Amino acid sequence: GRALLVLLLSATVSLLGGLIFGYELGIISGALLQLQTDFHLSCFKQEVLVSAVLIGALLASLAGGILIDRHGRRRAILVSNLVLLVGSLILTLARSFIVLVLGRMTVGFAISVSSMACCIYVSEMVAAHQRGLLVSLYEVGITVGILLSYALNYIFADLDEGWRYMFGLAMAPTAMQFLSILFLPVNPVKLSSWDSDCQKGLIPLQDAEDRAAAKREPYQEKHYSFLDLFRTRDNMRRRTLVGLGLVLFQQFTGQPNVLGYASKIFHSVGFQSNSSAILASVGLGAIKVVATLVAMALADKAGRRVLLMAGCVVMAISVTTIGLTSRMAPLAMARDCKAATGPNASHSLTQHPLTPVFPQSAVSPIPPASGAVKSQAGPGFAATRGLTKVFSSTQSKEVVPSSSLSPKRDLEGQSKKGTLESTGPPLGAASWAQHTVLNWITLLSMMAFVSAFSIGFGPMTWLFLSEIYPAGIRGRAFAFCNSFNWAGNLLISLSFLDLIDAIGFSWMFLLYGLVGVMAVIFIYLFVPETKGQSLEEIDQQFSRKR
């Protein structure tokens, strides 16, 4: 009975941790539409507000590792919950732009610490044969959290100051996670002495072998300095290479940007109305949730390495397909964020296809005519527009900056270009039919990419990071890799438009395909299989191999 209780509580902590992460990254999309009107936000201010979470998260990944290693995983999660409650309260009561930015940074800091601590805590709490399942549950939480944030964006879209409710509701899952973890034991890894409480079966989930190892672990726990990550001691350098490789390939396969064209693709395939747009975005979200559930079920059976390689192969094929089809049937391109001016200020943020949309799922195909943007100001419109402004993550911590992150120079490019080009049918009916077929191929490739990411890089990267380092430095090592994840994400998202200008859209995606192939080779050569092994066995496996 007790074992089951601990198992359920561990699962709850993992799921809620992901849910909060996804929710906080997704909710800004709908909130921004209202904030833009209420606070008269310029383009630059929207950029700042959207990237505030990233800045907070980067700070946390630099400082959070020390907190997790020094004070234990459980305490780190509790502290991050308290910080998140404070951040949500600041946002709910905010009366000025500065306070909003401060609140979002606080939230970013909290979800980053929580994400690292949750994965490590859960991986150390449970037996080897359940670890993949429970750590992957975190990723399921993220996808569900993002879908939930869209549903609430839609519900509160027409409410006066609805953004206060959007930000405030994050307190509910945070409080639930705080209470859940109070009933879980202090992680055995962090106990300096194996006291009698532990011998009463503190880790009932672990089998006899694991329990014996865990009893020995506090005595054997080695102390590492941060610089040991780059030394040959216990083969730490190789572990760091594996960790950084996974994190950087996760970003450089183009994940933050592949859905940048999603809105345009949905529109060109024929999703014209707002309700069908919302339906399409929820559909992609649902695909992602299902794919992540599949990964969760297979993590402990098929193994991490197999899922990573399979996911990578499918991702490489699908981005290459998008690259090739876009060469044959070029999609119209427009990009920028217009400052809120004029009577239609609240709706003057131009919908544009290069907006990195909801990383995992949501997509908004608003017809790309400037007039349409201004005329459709109904409730459905606000919500759909919200879908495009998302700034999310993957965790898979995958974070996708919205259009507001695209650099200011795009404004000049847009003014020279004039109005947005619309995707009207070409002259010949036959060529139009071919165009439609190619667009559907692009759409299906995008769905394949989303699924493959959710099965491979999405959950597996974080599962590996919580397994491959020794207990004494796990927190700092995870945080170090995580900081590269956030930084790589920012770099990819911000350089996207420049690269498109330099080499063109289709070459960009063919380049992502090439990176995907390199990722498969990297995983094959450097990443070992860790399924079914206790954390101690994984540690020994890495220590031995040169």
Side-chain angles (χ1 to χ4, degrees):
R2 167 133 192 201
L4 186 67
L5 180 70
V6 176
L7 182 66
L8 286 172
L9 284 173
S10 298
T12 308
V13 166
S14 188
L15 189 65
L16 285 173
L19 186 96
I20 296 161
F21 190 95
Y23 181 83
E24 286 292 2
L25 290 175
I27 202 67
I28 190 68
S29 62
L32 204 59
L33 291 167
Q34 298 186 348
L35 291 169
Q36 194 188 334
T37 331
D38 292 358
F39 290 88
H40 308 293
L41 300 182
S42 65
C43 268
F44 176 68
K45 283 187 171 176
Q46 288 175 55
E47 280 179 33
V48 172
L49 189 58
V50 172
S51 35
V53 169
L54 252 191
I55 296 160
L58 251 175
L59 289 173
S61 52
L62 299 174
I66 300 164
L67 171 72
I68 294 168
D69 278 341
R70 293 268 161 81
H71 302 287
R73 291 73 162 119
R74 183 173 176 266
R75 199 172 290 168
I77 300 174
L78 290 170
V79 168
S80 74
N81 285 157
L82 292 174
V83 174
L84 192 59
L85 288 170
V86 170
S88 301
L89 201 63
I90 292 173
L91 286 167
T92 312
L93 304 173
R95 292 259 173 248
S96 71
F97 173 69
I98 303 292
V99 176
L100 280 173
V101 172
L102 195 71
R104 287 298 283 171
M105 276 180 74
T106 311
V107 163
F109 187 90
I111 59 175
S112 183
V113 171
S114 167
S115 67
M116 297 184 288
C118 276
C119 289
I120 295 174
Y121 183 74
V122 172
S123 77
E124 290 172 348
M125 278 304 300
V126 297
H129 65 275
Q130 291 165 324
R131 197 169 54 237
L133 178 84
L134 286 177
V135 177
S136 304
L137 201 58
Y138 185 89
E139 180 76 9
V140 176
I142 290 179
T143 54
V144 173
I146 290 170
L147 272 179
L148 179 69
S149 71
Y150 282 122
L152 291 174
N153 279 347
Y154 186 60
I155 292 167
F156 294 121
D158 290 339
L159 209 65
D160 199 33
E161 295 203 332
W163 55 270
R164 294 192 190 275
Y165 298 99
M166 294 180 197
F167 288 139
L169 279 170
M171 291 186 207
T174 309
M176 281 165 67
Q177 191 188 31
F178 186 87
L179 293 173
S180 304
I181 206 159
L182 286 178
F183 293 103
L184 275 170
V186 177
N187 207 311
V189 170
K190 292 316 294 174
L191 288 172
S192 46
S193 61
W194 194 260
D195 58 30
S196 57
D197 186 31
C198 294
Q199 285 161 346
K200 289 175 196 156
L202 195 84
I203 33 170
L205 297 186
Q206 304 194 340
D207 43 45
E209 216 179 307
D210 278 354
R211 200 176 290 138
K215 280 185 185 181
R216 289 196 307 274
E217 199 165 4
Y219 299 124
Q220 292 177 355
E221 188 176 311
K222 297 175 186 169
H223 291 284
Y224 294 91
S225 72
F226 179 71
L227 291 174
D228 283 332
L229 283 176
F230 313 101
R231 295 185 180 132
T232 50
R233 176 191 173 188
D234 286 341
N235 223 359
M236 291 299 286
R237 196 183 290 163
R238 179 168 177 260
R239 302 182 204 218
T240 307
L241 171 76
V242 169
L244 285 181
L246 287 174
V247 159
L248 292 173
F249 275 122
Q250 184 191 35
Q251 297 300 331
F252 288 107
T253 41
Q255 187 276 326
N257 296 330
V258 163
L259 293 181
Y261 254 69
S263 54
K264 179 65 78 181
I265 293 164
F266 269 87
H267 174 242
S268 58
V269 171
F271 292 96
Q272 303 286 351
S273 73
N274 289 324
S275 53
S276 66
I278 291 173
L279 210 64
S281 61
V282 170
L284 257 191
I287 289 174
K288 182 158 179 69
V289 173
V290 171
T292 314
L293 286 169
V294 170
M296 191 177 94
L298 293 177
D300 291 314
K301 293 186 178 76
R304 292 78 156 126
R305 195 165 179 262
V306 176
L307 290 178
L308 267 175
M309 288 181 71
C312 259
V313 169
V314 176
M315 280 165 73
I317 293 169
S318 45
V319 280
T320 307
T321 310
I322 293 174
L324 293 172
T325 52
S326 66
R327 280 190 80 72
M328 292 184 259
L331 297 163
M333 190 168 119
R335 53 204 183 93
D336 86 71
C337 135
K338 284 183 176 171
T341 48
N344 286 309
S346 59
H347 297 291
S348 65
L349 244 127
T350 324
Q351 155 58 25
H352 78 91
L354 279 186
T355 310
V357 184
F358 181 16
Q360 294 95 332
S361 41
V363 173
S364 165
I366 293 170
S370 304
V373 172
K374 289 186 178 148
S375 64
Q376 298 169 302
F381 176 63
T384 319
R385 286 291 318 292
L387 296 175
T388 64
K389 291 297 297 172
V390 80
F391 183 102
S392 173
S393 183
T394 137
Q395 240 245 12
S396 31
K397 315 263 169 62
E398 51 259 30
V399 182
V400 179
S402 69
S403 60
S404 54
L405 268 184
S406 56
K408 297 289 273 195
R409 61 193 153 47
D410 298 334
L411 290 172
E412 291 125 49
Q414 174 67 22
S415 59
K416 285 178 203 142
K417 249 187 146 156
T419 56
L420 294 114
E421 302 164 26
S422 70
T423 49
L427 295 170
S431 65
W432 175 238
Q434 182 199 1
H435 200 90
T436 310
V437 170
L438 288 172
N439 281 333
W440 273 102
I441 293 172
T442 311
L443 177 68
L444 292 171
S445 300
M446 204 167 70
M447 289 176 168
F449 184 91
V450 167
S451 309
F453 184 87
S454 305
I455 286 175
F457 270 132
M460 295 308 135
T461 303
W462 310 107
L463 181 53
F464 261 114
L465 287 182
S466 60
E467 291 177 334
I468 62 176
Y469 295 103
I473 195 171
R474 203 169 283 142
R476 281 164 294 170
F478 198 119
F480 175 70
C481 293
N482 201 16
S483 61
F484 274 83
N485 178 61
W486 293 106
N489 190 290
L490 199 57
L491 179 71
I492 287 285
S493 307
L494 290 179
S495 63
F496 187 52
L497 298 174
D498 285 328
L499 276 168
I500 291 233
D501 280 345
I503 62 174
F505 178 76
S506 52
W507 283 111
M508 181 83 204
F509 276 70
L510 292 172
L511 186 68
Y512 287 151
L514 183 66
V515 175
V517 173
M518 287 161 62
V520 174
I521 296 167
F522 172 82
I523 293 162
Y524 182 75
L525 293 178
F526 295 106
V527 180
E529 182 54 78
T530 58
K531 73 166 178 179
Q533 299 178 346
S534 69
L535 295 176
E536 201 173 54
E537 283 169 343
I538 296 169
D539 189 19
Q540 285 166 357
Q541 180 187 345
F542 264 101
S543 298
R544 280 196 305 270
K545 279 190 184 169
R546 276 283 166 264

